Amino acid sequence: MRAFIIRPFGVKNELDFDEVERVLLAPALRLVGAEGATPIDIVEAGNIRADMFRRLLTADLVVADLSIHNANVLYALGIRHALRGRSTFMLRSDVDRFPFDLQTDRCFLYRKEDPAAHLDALAAALRRTLDSGAQDSPVFMSLPNLREPDPSAFMFVPQDFGEEVKRAEEHRRAGDLALLSYEVKGFEWEALGWRVVGRAQFALKAFPAARVTWERVLRLAPDDLEANITLGTIYERLGDLTRSTQALERALDNKAATRNQRAEAYSLLARNAKTRWRGEWERAAPEGRAAAALRSSHLRESFESYERAFGEDLNHFYSGLNALAMLKVIIALAEAMPGVWAEGFRSDRKAAEALSEYGEHATKLAAAVELSLRAELARLEREERRDVWAEISAADLSCITENAPPRVAAAYRKALANAPDFAFDAVRKQLAIYRDLGVLKENLREVFEVVGEPPALPEEGRPAAAPPRPRVLLFTGHMIDGPGRAEPRFPQAKEGAAREKIKEAVVREMRTGAGVACAYAGAASGGDILFQEVCAELNIPTRLYLAVPPAKYVITSVQKAGDEWVGRFWGIYNAHRERGQVRVLSEAADVEDEREHLPAWLRPKPDYGIWQRNNLWTLFNALDEGCDPKTDDPNITLIALWDGKSGDGPGGTADLVEKVGDLGARSVVIKTTEIF
């Protein structure tokens, strides 16, 4: 979270404002997780006025010290109040008369004799301001229809950061995207960076990681439309329908939502109701599924929400099509089970009237959906573009409105030509509903010959439990001591003892649960190479991750142990290269300054280097391969050959052990102080 402090400078009216920031403002911001800056920090950056305006708009929190009548401070406060409706915090020391126009607004008071004494109280007040989400700008409170400018329009992500995200998305490397999401924290443009990463994660269906990224955006802006709508889908895919519904309701409460955004939100609410509906009847015994489906209140809730979405935006043909599909299911089930249908009405006559009205409504809705869909297909044709989902929607419309199996099957055949596998899966999932409920079934036999028939529901009505997932191993460990190391840590003579304990740890993991799928490690002398060799012996596939190009890696991480270890490194490297299982974080081969191995956008990050980045890069890719796509269970085990000490600084064994602990993953530490 970014904060911006506007205050006087130096000593004025016997108050040292620089000291107030040092002992009160800056520590309080750190306590609430904010990183603060003042106009003095941007003096050397160019146009201070332009930079100040941007920060006044984009800062998540602005703190204004109004202790004296300082024109610059009051000018900046006025700009903030005009640009942002909330999260502006005012404080003062009672050394001057408080401005008349602000006397009705809350203002935190501190004593000039001892500003630091108010630290805890100030931190608590800042937290309340951030947590409340209430408007505090007198401008926005006086003009309720005023809209804030979009802060992202005044920010940009560095070009090389955007290129990293694009490469990761194109190569489907969700682990790399998780790394970028982690690293962008603390930059002035972090919120925009998270949006860029979050969109790529969503596109790759990396939903657990995308949830983390979009929740970071939401913490900064709880009513953010894109974050809430996207999380509405993500939570649903992760099985958390309650949080999905809450996110979508927040989006609908936002007065800035466009008609299309409201249509999308209502459509996603309808999908949540549909998911609940399916959960009810799919758990029933086969002979009772149709009745359970018709009795469920979620059936009508889903239809009504889809139709409301279509009513918000008639171009949103997807929601109209789904509303029609749910309505057709209602009609078909009611006609098949008139007694069950009549249970919800005072008389059979009223039940029949309602069903007749639904039939008339379906005819009108089908015509509207067809017009909307035809308009979209015509637009795509004019633009010489193809949208497989629009074409699938046309086939779906034909399936639920026509009794013409050959024509319907041909429509699906055309729509799915060269379509990805997940498009076939989506079609089968919808058609399975009709089959399992015994409705709209006239076209299904020929359509299934085109798309493939979905698996049948279990006889007992409950889906079989998913088999346990094999674990992914991650290794970190000490290198062999170089000549002349002052304090021995991994002497050459202890190689055998280390190998034995590493193998024991790996074998235990193989015998636990579903076993081991694969392993991630580097190839430094000592622990890394021993782990790679043990995995090869046990037929566990490994991924080799190197921070720097192999020739440079040998110099930094292998050759001090001797030529024999260098030879073993090249054997491991060549074997992985042949299998396409080598990745190198920095391809720069001729740089002297270690920080130049970082991309330019990342170099300003304090206390961060290529070796810390390599640890996180390897970790996030292991997490991606090990993570259950439906849960947050990391499902990885870190094996660490470690003496328990901080070692040689950031990027070493201690650093990775700490990071794994922070992410809640499992660690197995082989204590070298015991085995050596």
Side-chain angles (χ1 to χ4, degrees):
M1 177 172 58
R2 304 296 299 175
F4 190 50
I5 302 169
I6 48 180
R7 64 172 178 84
F9 295 99
V11 179
K12 294 179 176 62
N13 289 31
E14 300 181 351
L15 181 57
D16 187 341
F17 289 97
D18 297 344
E19 178 72 1
V20 171
E21 177 174 345
R22 188 183 69 81
V23 302
L24 179 60
L25 302 185
L29 289 172
R30 285 194 294 270
L31 286 174
V32 300
E35 298 186 28
T38 62
I40 200 169
D41 297 320
I42 56 177
V43 167
E44 298 179 358
N47 187 331
I48 183 172
R49 179 178 293 176
D51 287 339
M52 184 179 71
F53 289 167
R54 188 183 72 252
R55 294 193 183 188
L56 287 169
L57 170 63
T58 61
D60 306 298
L61 172 68
V62 164
V63 177
D65 191 328
L66 304 173
S67 297
I68 64 173
H69 288 191
N70 183 286
N72 290 329
V73 171
L74 294 172
Y75 176 64
L77 177 63
I79 292 171
R80 171 69 176 190
H81 277 163
L83 293 174
R84 295 290 294 272
R86 65 196 66 190
S87 300
T88 302
F89 187 92
M90 298 185 295
L91 79 164
R92 67 186 179 95
S93 180
D94 200 7
V95 298
D96 202 347
R97 187 167 50 86
F98 195 45
F100 173 80
D101 289 342
L102 296 173
Q103 287 181 6
T104 58
D105 298 299
R106 292 181 180 178
C107 192
F108 183 90
L109 189 66
Y110 66 90
R111 294 196 317 273
K112 71 173 182 178
E113 295 81 9
D114 188 10
H118 301 271
L119 175 57
D120 291 341
L122 177 58
L126 290 172
R127 286 194 190 96
R128 286 194 297 270
T129 296
L130 292 167
D131 292 343
S132 73
Q135 285 194 336
D136 48 43
S137 162
V139 177
F140 281 83
M141 288 189 288
S142 301
L143 303 172
N145 293 322
L146 188 63
R147 297 287 174 262
E148 295 181 353
D150 181 3
S152 65
F154 298 86
M155 300 290 291
F156 64 91
V157 298
Q159 181 177 343
D160 55 341
F161 175 83
E163 290 172 351
E164 275 202 77
V165 173
K166 188 66 175 176
R167 287 195 299 272
E169 182 180 358
E170 288 182 349
H171 290 92
R172 305 194 65 78
R173 290 171 175 163
D176 289 14
L177 292 172
L179 170 68
L180 294 169
S181 177
Y182 183 92
E183 289 177 322
V184 80
K185 184 180 185 300
F187 286 97
E188 187 178 1
W189 45 272
E190 62 182 5
L192 188 54
W194 282 325
R195 290 181 192 278
V196 174
V197 174
R199 291 165 190 154
Q201 290 172 319
F202 187 85
L204 294 186
K205 294 181 169 52
F207 294 124
R211 176 189 62 80
V212 172
T213 299
W214 282 108
E215 284 179 349
R216 287 170 175 156
V217 175
L218 205 63
R219 280 194 292 272
L220 298 180
D223 58 353
D224 185 271
L225 277 167
E226 183 181 16
N228 278 306
I229 291 174
T230 305
L231 283 168
T233 294
I234 291 171
Y235 289 139
E236 186 268 337
R237 297 297 175 87
L238 296 177
D240 193 340
L241 296 181
T242 299
R243 294 182 75 184
S244 173
T245 298
Q246 290 170 343
L248 295 168
E249 288 174 345
R250 286 195 299 269
L252 289 168
D253 287 340
N254 191 324
K255 294 180 181 178
T258 65
R259 292 174 60 188
N260 183 264
Q261 288 170 323
R262 293 179 65 80
E264 185 66 16
Y266 278 121
S267 181
L268 294 173
L269 284 173
R271 186 173 64 184
N272 287 354
K274 182 178 177 181
T275 301
R276 290 188 173 97
W277 171 66
R278 291 190 62 177
E280 286 184 351
W281 62 262
E282 286 180 351
R283 288 193 297 268
E287 63 276 9
R289 285 173 184 159
L294 183 57
R295 289 189 175 109
S296 173
S297 63
H298 297 306
L299 174 58
R300 277 166 287 281
E301 178 188 353
S302 178
F303 156 64
E304 290 167 1
S305 293
Y306 273 129
E307 186 169 57
R308 184 164 186 180
F310 189 47
E312 288 282 347
D313 184 354
L314 293 176
N315 291 317
H316 204 265
F317 65 83
Y318 170 82
S319 57
L321 176 63
N322 277 276
L324 180 62
M326 300 305 286
L327 183 55
K328 287 283 192 176
V329 168
I330 292 172
I331 294 169
L333 290 174
E335 289 176 343
M337 296 175 292
V340 175
W341 172 250
E343 292 172 359
F345 300 88
R346 291 191 217 172
S347 65
D348 290 346
R349 180 179 61 80
K350 289 188 177 295
E353 289 175 354
L355 183 57
S356 176
E357 289 175 1
Y358 267 176
E360 294 175 4
H361 191 76
T363 301
K364 296 175 182 177
L365 181 58
V369 172
E370 183 178 8
L371 283 174
S372 178
L373 184 53
R374 280 186 178 180
E376 175 66 11
L377 292 170
R379 183 182 64 81
L380 290 168
E381 185 176 358
R382 288 194 303 272
E383 296 174 0
E384 298 182 346
R385 293 192 300 117
R386 185 192 179 205
D387 183 345
V388 65
W389 298 111
E391 295 182 11
I392 289 173
S393 295
D396 287 338
L397 180 61
S398 176
C399 184
I400 61 178
T401 57
E402 299 183 50
N403 183 7
R407 187 158 57 246
V408 173
Y412 279 110
R413 187 178 296 109
K414 177 184 176 184
L416 292 167
N418 302 315
D421 290 342
F422 61 80
F424 282 83
D425 292 339
V427 169
R428 285 191 289 265
K429 184 177 180 180
Q430 179 62 32
L431 295 178
I433 295 174
Y434 308 145
R435 180 202 62 190
D436 296 334
L437 292 177
V439 302
L440 307 178
K441 55 189 178 181
E442 294 81 1
N443 298 313
L444 293 186
R445 180 176 298 177
E446 291 200 35
V447 170
F448 284 151
E449 291 180 3
V450 174
V451 305
E453 184 162 358
L457 287 174
E459 281 299 312
E460 64 273 18
R462 293 184 180 273
R469 293 169 59 87
R471 297 187 73 76
V472 172
L473 302 185
L474 176 65
F475 182 85
T476 183
H478 295 314
M479 293 188 292
I480 292 290
D481 293 342
R485 183 179 177 90
E487 183 180 350
R489 190 172 60 178
F490 190 166
Q492 290 268 11
K494 299 298 183 181
E495 176 187 341
R499 176 188 289 273
E500 178 184 352
K501 293 299 181 182
I502 290 172
K503 185 173 182 179
E504 287 178 7
V506 173
V507 169
R508 277 197 302 271
E509 292 298 314
M510 293 175 68
R511 293 173 178 172
T512 301
V516 172
C518 63
Y520 284 72
S525 66
D528 281 359
I529 286 179
L530 292 175
F531 178 77
Q532 293 275 8
E533 291 172 345
V534 164
C535 287
E537 177 186 341
L538 297 173
N539 295 317
I540 296 174
T542 54
R543 286 82 165 101
L544 178 59
Y545 275 54
L546 303 179
V548 293
K552 192 170 186 66
Y553 189 88
V554 167
I555 296 171
T556 60
S557 305
V558 185
Q559 71 177 13
K560 291 179 183 178
D563 292 344
E564 192 242 343
W565 287 95
V566 172
R568 289 159 76 175
F569 165 84
W570 285 113
I572 291 169
Y573 174 80
N574 290 330
H576 282 81
R577 185 179 61 179
E578 289 177 7
R579 298 197 302 268
Q581 289 295 347
V582 178
R583 293 196 62 197
V584 178
L585 181 56
S586 169
E587 298 289 353
D590 56 351
V591 300
E592 297 297 329
D593 185 350
E594 188 176 293
R595 288 186 66 81
E596 291 185 21
H597 281 293
L598 296 175
W601 71 267
L602 193 52
R603 290 172 197 163
K605 195 175 186 72
D607 303 318
Y608 196 63
I610 188 63
W611 299 103
Q612 298 104 302
R613 191 178 206 222
N614 181 68
N615 277 349
L616 289 167
W617 178 56
T618 309
L619 171 60
F620 281 119
N621 276 279
L623 283 168
D624 176 59
E625 186 159 1
C627 182
D628 188 326
K630 279 289 186 182
T631 71
D632 290 333
D633 178 12
N635 201 36
I636 71 167
T637 298
L638 171 69
I639 297 176
L641 182 71
W642 185 37
D643 63 5
K645 300 178 182 178
S646 58
D648 295 329
T653 301
D655 183 61
L656 186 54
V657 172
E658 179 183 355
K659 294 296 189 299
V660 167
D662 291 344
L663 292 167
R666 183 169 170 236
S667 295
V668 174
V669 177
I670 303 170
K671 297 181 180 179
T672 58
T673 52
E674 296 177 4
I675 69 168
F676 291 170

